[in-house]
Amino acid sequence: VFGLNSSGPAPAGMSLDYLHAAGHDEIPERGGLTVTVPGTVGGWAALQDRFGSRSLDRVLSAAVAYARDGAPIASNFAEACVRLRDVVDGHPGTRGVFGGPKRTGDIMRQPALAKTLERIGIEGARAFYEGEVAADMVATLQDAGSAITLDDFAAFEPEWVEPISTSYRGYDIVEMPPNTQGPTVLLMANIVEG
């Protein structure tokens, strides 16, 4: 069993003082202040590097094709787009990705995502965390109030961690250690067992 923590950290500049200066007493439900460094891409690369038998561009090729050529929208996604229309329309970044009417069965194409995934496949995860892609994300997030910087992106590295576990009615339950909710699951299992 292996543990890979690729959850991205909060921006280094995020602090209570930063929140107060932005007019908040706590992190709001939505918006730039809620965003951490995106860790998924670094996680993909770490997994591919350690366990992969195919190149990252080959692994991502189907995702690139779906983003470029489109895929039918599922009913739950179409419903969410209608329900969250004010959120989607509230920022140019979300409008660019999710804007426009969406109905079940419509074909959704995301050419910018296809280009980003293609670049990651060819150049590796650093193409996401440094350079043009990172600069675009950081600028968009800063426009939305985030404290995130290019340094936050460039510094991100996923971390291989030792999983934690407990026994529950004869079964081993394995979870991720903090900074995740893994310990909570294990504690709940032990409480329920008692």
Side-chain angles (χ1 to χ4, degrees), residues 68-180:
R68 181 189 59 236
D69 302 334
I73 294 174
S75 61
N76 59 344
F77 181 81
E79 292 162 9
C81 286
V82 170
R83 189 175 65 254
L84 298 171
R85 175 62 46 213
D86 60 325
V87 174
V88 169
D89 289 343
H91 191 272
T94 54
R95 274 196 312 274
V97 175
F98 303 108
K102 302 281 186 275
R103 294 182 309 272
T104 301
D106 284 355
I107 302 299
M108 182 174 184
R109 290 176 181 85
Q110 296 179 299
L113 175 61
K115 286 179 186 175
T116 299
L117 292 173
E118 221 166 18
R119 177 176 276 166
I120 292 165
I122 294 167
E123 299 175 27
R126 287 291 103 199
F128 182 81
Y129 293 103
E130 298 170 359
E132 181 183 330
V133 173
D136 183 50
M137 286 186 286
V138 167
T140 299
L141 289 167
Q142 287 178 348
D143 285 348
S146 176
I148 208 157
T149 67
L150 284 170
D151 288 342
D152 292 317
F153 268 67
F156 176 71
E157 290 290 337
E159 177 185 13
W160 290 100
V161 296
E162 188 66 35
I164 57 176
S165 64
T166 192
S167 176
Y168 173 75
R169 297 187 179 179
Y171 293 94
D172 290 331
I173 301 176
V174 180
E175 278 285 349
M176 293 289 287
N179 66 336
T180 75

